[in-house]
Amino acid sequence: MLTIGYIGNGKSTNRYHLPFSLNRDYLNVKTVYARNPDKEEWDKAPGVLYTSDIEVLMNDAEIQLIVVCTHLDTHYTYAKMALDHGKNVLVEKPFMMSRDEAVSIFQYATEKNLIIQCYQNRRYDSDFLTTQKVIESGKLGDLLEVEMNYDYYRPETPNSITHFSRYNSYLYGHGVHTLDQALSYFGTPESVHCDVRQLLGPGRMNDYFDLDLYYSSLKVSIKSSFFRLKARPSFAVYGKKGVFVKQTIDRQEEHLKLFHLPKGHPDFGVDLPEHYGILTYLDAEGDYHEEKVVSEKGDYARVYDGLYQAIIHGQEKVIKDEETIAVMGILEEGIGECK
């Protein structure tokens, strides 16, 4: 068993962690720390201790992993505190406030002979996993261009914010998802071009970004906007012999918001045929094909699977330190364009 404690009792813990950590037999969620553990916004998980005393969490010898699900400006402090108490750590994204903080905390964990990792659950999105399956089928031929889009139509969000914050920006909060996907699969790019904007004007919220990652013969574009009434395809992948377009995003978040949880629901997060992507390609004889591709099943609990193997069985971490550091570096570079 891997015994877990959480710092924070808000949306992150209750929507994006507990539904998955409570759905694995080898995980034991023991304690949740929060300044106000009795707030009624979220139902308490049965059999879990809720406390307002962080020492209860830190000094519990049974707890091997502490998960930090708090505001970004507290990530480094809580992570270091957990490491100082001999705990492995999983930190919500964005991992840290800066690349330097990320480098520092990884080095500190190494000195302590402990594991710290970023919660990059979007590596296990259905649309991303399906796109990988199509690429690896070889039907697209050599890749030329990949477009990754993460759009919303939520104008009320940027309209309601009248100041600029680099850390509470769209790039930091959402670019961290797709940027990690790209780096985890395609590797570190040779160069990056960042177009990060405040569509409502200087001094306002960052509400748009367009990141171009350049590889030797491949361009990966990552785009997001708060003002897209009709979202662009989640993935569009172009090769020398074909194209794959996946219009819709992973459905896990959709189901989580409806409290249709993974435990006991085999259809959780599963695409229906109308969500399947379209693969169009020419075969070796030059014949034209167009077909729907059955979506892979996403599962955010796979982050915990990887950590379990690393902590309990000594396997290499799936989400590498250098990948997280590279993501933080691009986020810093991109948001530097805004004021």
Side-chain angles (χ1 to χ4, degrees), residues 24-68:
R24 289 291 196 264
D25 292 338
Y26 58 80
L27 299 178
N28 171 37
V29 178
K30 185 175 183 181
T31 307
V32 173
Y33 159 77
R35 287 176 293 180
N36 180 17
D38 295 321
K39 66 179 182 180
E40 299 178 355
E41 182 180 357
W42 302 94
D43 293 337
K44 291 184 177 180
V48 175
L49 171 66
Y50 287 76
T51 180
S52 60
D53 184 355
I54 198 167
E55 295 301 324
V56 171
L57 182 72
M58 294 292 173
N59 294 323
D60 188 333
E62 292 185 356
I63 293 176
Q64 303 147 284
L65 174 67
I66 287 181
V67 185
V68 179

Side-chain angles (χ1 to χ4, degrees), residues 74 239 241 296 307:
T74 65
K241 297 193 300 181
E296 295 291 286
L307 265 180

Side-chain angles (χ1 to χ4, degrees), residues 134-135 137-144 238-242 281-282:
V134 171
I135 291 171
S137 74
K139 293 179 179 178
L140 297 174
D142 295 335
L143 291 189
L144 300 173
Y238 302 89
K240 290 183 177 178
K241 297 193 300 181
Y281 67 99
L282 300 174

Side-chain angles (χ1 to χ4, degrees), residues 148-155 157-158 170-171 174-175 178 195 197-199 205-210 222-232:
M148 305 166 64
N149 300 299
Y150 197 156
D151 288 330
Y152 288 102
Y153 184 67
R154 292 181 184 172
T157 299
Y170 196 37
L171 179 64
H174 291 79
T178 39
D195 180 6
R197 303 189 184 190
Q198 297 146 285
L199 297 178
M205 176 187 176
N206 156 235
D207 48 20
Y208 169 96
F209 58 85
D210 183 345
I222 300 172
K223 304 177 183 181
S224 292
S225 173
F226 261 125
F227 291 95
R228 289 278 173 166
L229 184 58
K230 184 174 181 180
R232 291 165 288 194

Side-chain angles (χ1 to χ4, degrees), residues 10 32 35 56 104 159 210 214 233 239-240 272 283 287 294 304 314 319 321:
V32 173
R35 287 176 293 180
V56 171
S104 173
N159 279 328
D210 183 345
Y214 294 94
K240 290 183 177 178
L272 300 174
D283 64 20
D287 294 327
V294 177
Y304 282 97
I319 299 168
D321 299 358

Side-chain angles (χ1 to χ4, degrees), residues 170-210:
Y170 196 37
L171 179 64
Y172 260 68
H174 291 79
V176 68
H177 302 316
T178 39
L179 190 54
D180 175 75
Q181 288 178 339
L183 268 61
S184 70
Y185 192 68
F186 298 108
T188 303
E190 296 174 359
S191 63
V192 179
H193 177 263
C194 301
D195 180 6
V196 182
R197 303 189 184 190
Q198 297 146 285
L199 297 178
L200 298 180
R204 300 296 295 271
M205 176 187 176
N206 156 235
D207 48 20
Y208 169 96
F209 58 85
D210 183 345

